[in-house]
Amino acid sequence: MPVYVVAEGRELSHSERVDVLVPTFPKATVAVGYEGRMLSEGDDVELPESEGQRLVDAGVLEVPKASRRRSKK
């Protein structure tokens, strides 16, 4: 998945899928949950391309400039 950067002066509320251990008897059960977090300008976020492009078009995210380092041979 591509990595995007939150645009200057913007904030983004983002939820990530996490596994949650539920204490049940006799054995604990694993369930799926979501953890919310607030991202502010300059934070990186990894999103599917369709979601990321939609937020880039809205001006909330930016595509980071690829830093291409070339090694000297």
Side-chain angles (χ1 to χ4, degrees), residues 67-73:
S67 62
R68 296 188 178 184
R69 291 183 168 178
R70 293 190 179 189
S71 60
K72 295 181 181 179
K73 291 184 180 181

Side-chain angles (χ1 to χ4, degrees), residues 11-69:
E11 289 185 335
L12 176 68
S13 175
H14 179 62
S15 299
E16 290 187 355
R17 188 176 170 151
V18 293
D19 291 333
V20 178
L21 190 61
V22 180
T24 55
F25 183 79
K27 198 165 108 175
T29 305
V30 176
V32 175
Y34 291 90
E35 180 179 6
R37 59 188 180 131
M38 199 63 172
L39 302 170
S40 58
E41 68 180 70
D43 289 341
D44 294 339
V45 61
E46 189 174 341
L47 294 171
E49 193 171 339
S50 60
E51 290 273 328
Q53 189 59 47
R54 181 178 63 83
L55 291 169
V56 167
D57 293 343
V60 177
L61 297 179
E62 297 173 346
V63 178
K65 295 179 177 78
S67 62
R68 296 188 178 184
R69 291 183 168 178

